[in-house]
Amino acid sequence: MIVDCAIYRHGHRTEGPEDLSDALAEARAAGGFVWIGLHEPSEREFDLVTREFGLHPLAVEDALKAHQRPKLEVYDDSLFLVLKPVVYEPRSDTVSAGEVMIFIGDCFVVTVRHGEGAPLATVRRRLEEEPELLDKGPTAVLYAIADATVDHYLEVATELQTDLDELEAEVFQPETGGSRTIASRIYTFKRQVLEFRRATGPLALPLSRLAGNGPVGGGVPFVHDKARPFFRDVGDHLTRVNESVEALDRLVSDILSAHLAQMSVRQNDDMRKISAWAAMAAVPTMIAGIYGMNFEHMPELHWTWSYPGVIALMAVLEVLLYRLFKRRGWL
């Protein structure tokens, strides 16, 4: 469905006509641009936009089906950028990613949103409060959406770092560090980091092209050369995010290894305790087994103090073994 449609002249908003063809013609005649926002459109709803703006069928297919990696595609009449905004749920400590597809032409912007968390409404309001920036045309819209998306990445990275610090402290607590649920929580957190990485990692190359960095950065149409430093700034922020994600991934792997090592140490301690108690039980069992063989000729069988002597011997040996194992930390 079409969420919003407006024509912008000299950085100020004017409501566009209902007919998209008339809106595009009016924007071209006035030297402005038209910005159409859609939310999870159907194929029939998007067909009208496709015809009026001459969007490439491959880009249209990507915009309708979603589930795309962040990428930048250049076509004859438009520029197509895919972003994946990320939402952090503090109650469940989970990360979910939506999608924003942006079509940029000479005098139009078409944004297609899938899922939640896309900052389009906030970006539109902020741009309408800054006419001097909005007057730069579709490039300003492209920059503002990319900047808002990457800035939110930084906030999500901070939240994940806080969660990881809490998880790390719990792993190394003597009371809860050996809990069987810790491993599943660590693995779940690793999945959240992976979901975050899928949104941030592939975006580096598109922003590099928009910023004009390297041999692949030149000649991106529909983007003003003066805007490249701004995209370079967004790229720098994204680099910080990717470095944070890499650090999170390494640290959560180290925490999982430390947890498994703790579990192994605890199991070894348990085995040593079991072995110590088994050794202590084996001594009286051996003595009782020897004197339980019922041979006729055995020492001390007819001695009056045989029974108390054997019991005393067992007790003394048990005390000696207990002190020995206790001194070595087995008990």
Side-chain angles (χ1 to χ4, degrees), residues 72-74 78-81 102-104 142 210 220-223:
L72 177 66
E73 299 288 350
V74 179
S78 62
L79 188 70
F80 180 61
L81 177 65
I102 309 170
F103 295 87
I104 299 293
L142 183 66
L210 292 172
V220 178
F222 310 110
V223 176

Side-chain angles (χ1 to χ4, degrees), residues 266-283:
R266 287 188 175 92
Q267 289 176 354
N268 290 337
D269 289 340
D270 293 340
M271 289 301 299
R272 286 192 300 179
K273 291 179 181 179
I274 293 172
S275 300
W277 286 112
M280 293 173 62
V283 171

